[in-house]
Amino acid sequence: MNTPALPPRYEIRARQTATTVTVYQAYRPDIGLPAARDGRFPEAWKRDRMTWIKPSFLWMMYRCGWGTKEGQEVVLAVEIDRSGLEWALAHAELSHYVRDVHPDAKAWKQSLRAAPARVQWDPERDLDLNLLPYRSLQLGLSGEAARRYADEWTVSVRDVTPLAREVHAAARAGERERAAALLPVETPLDLAAPRPVRRTTPASDT
């Protein structure tokens, strides 16, 4: 019997269309409910603070405890313009220093301060929220990127808290096939993101 091949260690997987990508966030009700109702983030959403978006539904479930953690009770599926995500990734820096990626720690810090987006790779999760041996993208947006995300890139906002509860209930009841069938279909994105991997060729000075 053949064992299914695992995804690459660093790969962006998301629910997607030809023009959009869906990411997930969780907020307290006074932010999440108006956002879902109006299809855009309310004025109370802080555009001058860093916000983290996650293309993985199950990683979001791990982060928000299936929508049970305080301040994360409303789980949102935010459909954003694909070109916006491309812009963010093109202007992103890794969230931590990697010796074989950056010239030195000082150069990385300077790049991180200037970058409006930052990439973090965290272990993907299964239906029980256990670690998987490959990574899931978190993308932090600040400054220009956060403002563009809220006011330009957002196509739609949906409250998927009921879906989170249904998947969780099915998984807890041992109905794993039903739980898995409820999950959003996330496929690899043909987009590049900074990865903490060893260089195979010297870095260019240009």
Side-chain angles (χ1 to χ4, degrees):
M1 184 174 180
N2 294 328
T3 302
L6 292 175
R9 183 170 174 81
Y10 301 104
E11 178 184 65
I12 306 174
R13 298 168 300 277
R15 179 175 177 142
Q16 59 182 301
T17 70
T19 58
T20 65
V21 176
T22 296
V23 297
Y24 298 94
Q25 296 191 292
Y27 289 100
R28 62 184 191 270
D30 64 314
I31 296 291
L33 294 178
R37 181 193 65 214
D38 300 333
R40 66 185 305 274
F41 288 100
E43 290 303 316
W45 192 87
K46 303 295 185 182
R47 286 158 173 76
D48 57 348
R49 295 178 59 181
M50 175 164 285
T51 190
W52 291 87
I53 58 176
K54 300 96 175 167
S56 165
F57 180 82
L58 284 176
W59 202 95
M60 184 71 256
M61 295 306 100
Y62 163 73
R63 181 67 181 84
C64 71
W66 300 98
T68 63
K69 292 184 179 179
E70 184 177 359
Q72 300 184 63
E73 299 91 346
V74 180
V75 184
L76 300 178
V78 185
E79 190 178 20
I80 63 173
D81 192 285
R82 193 182 189 99
S83 64
L85 182 62
E86 291 174 344
W87 184 93
L89 292 171
H91 293 80
E93 177 56 270
L94 288 171
S95 62
H96 61 284
Y97 168 67
V98 179
R99 185 182 58 186
D100 295 315
V101 173
H102 304 102
D104 52 52
K106 182 179 179 181
W108 164 73
K109 287 181 180 179
Q110 290 175 337
S111 178
L112 187 67
R113 283 195 295 269
R118 59 184 61 181
V119 162
Q120 184 167 309
W121 294 101
D122 294 294
E124 183 59 282
R125 303 284 167 160
D126 64 13
L127 273 170
D128 300 311
L129 305 186
N130 295 320
L131 297 170
L132 290 172
Y134 48 92
R135 300 280 168 157
S136 179
L137 174 73
Q138 272 202 90
L139 186 62
L141 307 175
S142 63
E144 181 181 2
R147 293 189 293 273
R148 288 190 177 202
Y149 168 66
D151 300 322
E152 298 177 21
W153 303 341
T154 297
V155 174
S156 69
V157 183
R158 293 181 296 116
D159 182 352
V160 291
T161 313
L163 174 62
R165 292 173 179 162
E166 187 177 4
V167 174
H168 188 207
R172 291 184 65 185
E175 302 172 3
R176 301 187 67 81
E177 288 189 7
R178 186 170 81 86
L182 290 168
L183 294 174
V185 176
E186 296 168 1
T187 54
L189 284 174
D190 187 20
L191 297 175
R195 304 177 182 190
V197 294
R198 183 179 296 275
R199 288 195 180 103
T200 56
T201 57
S204 171
D205 291 332
T206 60

